[in-house]
Structures are given as structure tokens and as C-alpha cells.
Amino acid sequence: ETVDVSGLHLLPGAIDVHVHFRDPGYTHKEDWESGAAAAAMGGVTTVFEMPNTVPSTSTPEALFDKATIAGSKSCVDFGLYALLGEETLDRVQALADAGANAFKLYMGNTFGNLPSPSTGAMLECFEKAALTGLRVSLHAETASIMARREAALSAAGRTAPLDHILARPEVVAIEAVARAAILAEWTGARIHILHISSSGELRPLAEAKARGVDVTGETCPCYLFLDSSDYERLQGAIRVNPPVREKKDSLGILAALKAGVVDMIATDHAPHTPEEKLRPNIWDVDCGFPGVETQMPLMLTRVAAGDYSIMDYVRMSAGAPARSFGLWPTKGRIAPGAHADIACVDLSRRETIRAADLHSRSRITPFEGTETVGAPVHTLVRGAFVQRDRKLVPGMQGHGRQVTDIQRMPAPAPRNVELSLAHLTGGAP
Ligand code: NCD
Ligand code: ZN
Ligand code: ZN
């Protein structure tokens, strides 16, 4: 099968380390076929999928079952997160042995109501996860559901009761990032900060990196391209956890992404039906929206605008996630794109984002009507077309494979935390 790619840019397929494909458990919102189809249309060739399904991915059996479902329905490659928390402390190695590609730890409540460990339990979680060599991704927020709902309300300029958290909603995220970094430093765990939404999180992230903590961070298009001035216009469509914040936050995160302090772009693809998402009762809303299909056009639009280069984009969308999650082993034999996971991109293609056109089962997006410049016109996963000429290639369900076979993450070398004291006396770290 050949295709004329003259005039196109061949980029490594995007690796999205933060998607919710809802299968098993909430397949009316999404399943592995529809989620992967959206990925293929978006130039995304590998996804890492979150454990807040039913059952949650917290036992070897649940992991095997999800791998079987994904393996039969997905047209893109995938990694699976296993739940790390107090209730899975007794089986961290067993989850790694069962094929988990990373762990997910919830420092605060979000969709699925999976419990958050105490700081003490989190320390144990990190100790055990470090031995597996797998990275721990963190929902680094301690706001309660109530706090985030009201934070969104107050950002929309409406009256909501404010307590000490709500007055400064980002403080909870800053504290969570700092605490996670200290526990990672103590235990040698590799960690990843999910959905960075405030510029306040950048300082503890940068400081931890400077101390030698193996920590990476992601942000999502909504935190770069939307801010509190969009609440009134978008109403319920903008609801997401953590909430979209101020202009100063999006500007700070963009600068940090260009500088590499925020390592990568992920989407937090979080499909819900419009009815679930737009429920008028603010206490009863499912937060988030689909993103895996729109990330590349949105991000390429900023390449066209000169905000960052195409090489910067490749680093954020493929290089950094591959390195961070062990898909880019040190020998240099395997690099992003080397499996012919490729997005063939037309950098000048103009499109308009329409929820009705999305391949996700969740047809609602805060980017409705947004005009984009640049899109993946073909997507190849391990040399096979899964998307061609902006159309899904039929019959590719089940082409996707779990990435376990290419993942190489040795357990990190133990760190001597005492060395940190040298900082206090001005010595070398
Ligand atoms: C996510 C979901 O719906 O699974 N929702 C969201 O608003 N981001 C959960 C999460 O990532 O916290
Ligand atoms: Zn989250
Ligand atoms: Zn998420």
C-alpha cells in the first residue's frame, strides 16, 4: 500500500499518557473502539489509559481483562495504568508483573471516586512502586469535589461561598506537587504530574527537577488555550477537573512547556455524554471532555502562529512521553516513530473543530468552532494505516497492542536523601 506524502511532514505519532477510555464500565461514554478511533484521527498512535473504570484497574485480573478488551477493539497501541493506593499496597509488584505500564495515584477525589491515600500510605506506595521501575502518575490535587466545583463557579464570576481553599484554589495543587516531589525524592520513585493547570505548580516542579528528582509534568490544551474569561461563553462545556484558571496561568504554563519544565502535552481525554456533563445541578456534574482527537490540530495551530517550533512540538507530544514512560530505551534502537508510528501532517491544512464530527462517543468540546491550522492527514501504527485522508481506515479494531514488549524501565538507583542537606550549607547536590 503506498500513498503520496509529498508536501507533508512525517512526525512521530503522538503518545498521549493521559486518556480515559471508560471500558469496561462506562461504555455509553466511550469504549476502546471509539476512543482509539478518536486517537487515530488525531495522529495519536499510543495512549496510556487510566484506571477509573468499573471495575477499577486495581487487580491483576482487572488488568488482564482490560488488556483483552483493548487488544480486541483498539486500533492504536496502548499502555494501561494500575491503581496505586492503600487498597493496592499488597499487590504493587503483582500489578507490574500482570503488565501494568505505569501507576496512577489519586491525591484528590475525581470522577470514579477512587480513594486517596494518606501521606503515610503514599510514602509506602512510592517505596513499592520505585522497585517496579514504573512511573507513578499523580492527580496532584487535594481539593474536594466541592472545592473544585466552586472554584469553577467563582472563576466564572458568580457568587460561591469561599473558604480558605477556594480563595486560592491553586494552592492545593502547589502543595500536592511539593509533597509528592519530597516523597519521590525520599523513595527514589519516578513520578509524573498530571494536568498542570496553574503557574504556581511550576516552582515546586522546577525545584524538584533541580534536586534530581525523576519527575515529569504534563499539561493539556485546555490549560494553554482557555482561561477564566471563557467561562461565561462556554458555560458547562468548560467544566473540567482541575478547573481552567487565569490568563497568567496559561501564559506561565506555555512558557514552561517551551522551556521543558513542563515536559509534555497530554489530553486528559475524559468523555462524558453532553447530558451528564451539562446537568444543571453543579454538584452532580461529570467533569472533563474528549481531547485526544483535537490535541494535534490545536497544538499545530500554535506552531503556525510561531509560538513554538515543530521540533518543540515533537518533543512535547512524542519524545518526552516516550522517554518518561520507558518507550525510548537507552540503547537508541527504539525511538519515537521507529516502529513506524507516524502522523503524516499537513501543516497548512485548515479545519474547524466541530463536536458533531468527533469520533469519541462524547460529542462535546470547549473548542467548538475553533479554527485550526495543521492536521494529521494519515496515521500509521506499526506501519499500518489506521487513518487515511482524514478518514478512519475500516477493520483496524484489534490492531493495537499493549506496549509492554518495548518498555524498559530499570528500578531507579537508590538515592541518598542526606545529600540534600548539602544544599543547606551551599555544597554541591
Ligand atoms: C476525569 C474523568 O472524567 O475521568 N475528569 C476530568 O475532569 N479530568 C478525571 C480526572 O482526570 O481527574
Ligand atoms: Zn485528574
Ligand atoms: Zn484524567
Side-chain angles (χ1 to χ4, degrees):
E1 200 181 7
T2 57
V3 62
D4 183 4
V5 293
S6 48
L8 302 182
H9 281 66
L10 271 52
L11 310 188
I15 299 169
D16 188 340
V17 301
H18 187 169
V19 306
H20 302 266
F21 280 178
R22 312 292 191 208
D23 187 2
Y26 304 103
T27 49
H28 68 287
K29 295 175 190 274
E30 196 76 291
D31 69 9
W32 273 98
E33 185 177 340
S34 57
M41 290 303 297
V44 175
T45 52
T46 302
V47 295
F48 275 53
E49 204 266 345
M50 287 291 168
N52 58 339
T53 46
V54 181
S56 67
T57 322
S58 56
T59 62
E61 296 69 36
L63 265 174
F64 287 133
D65 288 349
K66 192 181 267 187
T68 304
I69 297 168
S72 70
K73 293 191 193 173
S74 180
C75 67
V76 300
D77 286 348
F78 55 91
L80 298 179
Y81 279 101
L83 182 71
L84 183 63
E86 229 157 324
E87 63 280 32
T88 62
L89 262 176
D90 63 341
R91 50 181 181 275
V92 177
Q93 188 60 49
L95 288 165
D97 294 342
N101 299 98
F103 289 101
K104 167 70 179 283
L105 188 148
Y106 291 88
M107 294 180 77
N109 200 354
T110 189
F111 179 74
N113 289 319
L114 295 169
S116 315
S118 65
T119 300
M122 202 170 139
L123 182 66
E124 274 187 71
C125 287
F126 277 17
E127 276 168 351
K128 296 214 156 106
L131 298 175
T132 69
L134 298 178
R135 194 168 290 273
V136 181
S137 290
L138 302 156
H139 176 100
E141 288 267 339
T142 52
S144 66
I145 286 185
M146 192 184 302
R148 73 180 146 86
R149 299 275 190 269
E150 296 190 352
L153 268 179
S154 65
R158 297 183 215 143
T159 44
L162 290 180
D163 64 16
H164 60 290
I165 287 177
L166 299 178
R168 302 224 179 188
E170 75 275 19
V171 167
V172 293
I174 298 169
E175 184 276 338
V177 172
R179 179 153 49 98
I182 286 170
L183 297 182
E185 184 170 24
W186 195 265
T187 57
R190 297 183 166 99
I191 60 170
H192 175 69
I193 309 296
L194 299 161
H195 44 41
I196 289 171
S197 63
S198 64
S199 50
E201 290 161 84
L202 302 171
R203 179 173 159 177
L205 177 64
E207 286 174 350
K209 288 184 174 198
R211 298 200 304 275
V213 180
D214 188 342
V215 53
T216 53
E218 77 181 28
T219 192
C220 313
C222 60
Y223 305 117
L224 291 172
F225 306 139
L226 301 175
D227 59 56
S228 58
S229 68
D230 295 302
Y231 275 82
E232 214 48 53
R233 177 175 62 87
L234 293 171
Q235 296 291 322
I238 202 173
R239 287 166 178 161
V240 61
N241 181 25
V244 164
R245 287 175 165 140
E246 307 298 322
K247 187 76 187 168
K248 72 163 173 57
D249 294 296
S250 58
L251 291 175
I253 295 166
L254 178 62
L257 187 61
K258 281 163 69 173
V261 172
V262 172
D263 300 79
M264 68 191 82
I265 191 87
T267 67
D268 192 8
H269 178 86
H272 300 284
T273 67
E275 297 70 42
E276 291 163 336
K277 188 167 175 54
L278 299 175
R279 276 196 278 252
N281 179 357
I282 191 101
W283 307 105
D284 187 30
V285 162
D286 290 343
C287 282
F289 33 74
V292 77
E293 186 165 353
T294 49
Q295 178 270 110
M296 195 174 282
L298 286 167
M299 294 297 293
L300 289 177
T301 302
R302 298 309 172 104
V303 172
D307 283 357
Y308 40 79
S309 72
I310 187 77
M311 289 309 291
D312 286 334
Y313 174 66
V314 168
R315 168 174 55 79
M316 302 164 190
S317 64
R323 200 180 292 106
S324 175
F325 285 81
L327 305 181
W328 194 348
T330 45
K331 301 287 181 223
R333 282 188 307 119
I334 305 171
H339 286 270
D341 290 344
I342 293 172
C344 305
V345 164
D346 179 348
L347 286 178
S348 54
R349 187 184 170 93
R350 289 175 182 275
E351 295 187 345
T352 302
I353 295 176
R354 296 280 173 218
D357 297 339
L358 295 178
H359 288 69
S360 170
R361 208 154 274 168
S362 164
R363 298 235 162 78
I364 183 165
T365 168
F367 295 107
E368 178 73 34
T370 300
E371 293 176 6
T372 57
V373 182
V377 292
H378 317 295
T379 307
L380 293 93
V381 174
R382 277 173 289 101
F385 286 90
V386 291
Q387 186 243 134
R388 194 168 165 168
D389 295 319
R390 295 310 273 138
K391 286 194 194 63
L392 208 59
V393 174
M396 295 306 283
Q397 304 90 327
H399 176 69
R401 289 211 310 243
Q402 197 173 353
V403 295
T404 314
D405 52 343
I406 55 167
Q407 214 178 9
R408 305 276 182 278
M409 296 270 275
R415 289 172 50 80
N416 184 350
V417 182
E418 307 290 322
L419 281 181
S420 308
L421 290 174
H423 282 293
L424 298 176
T425 52

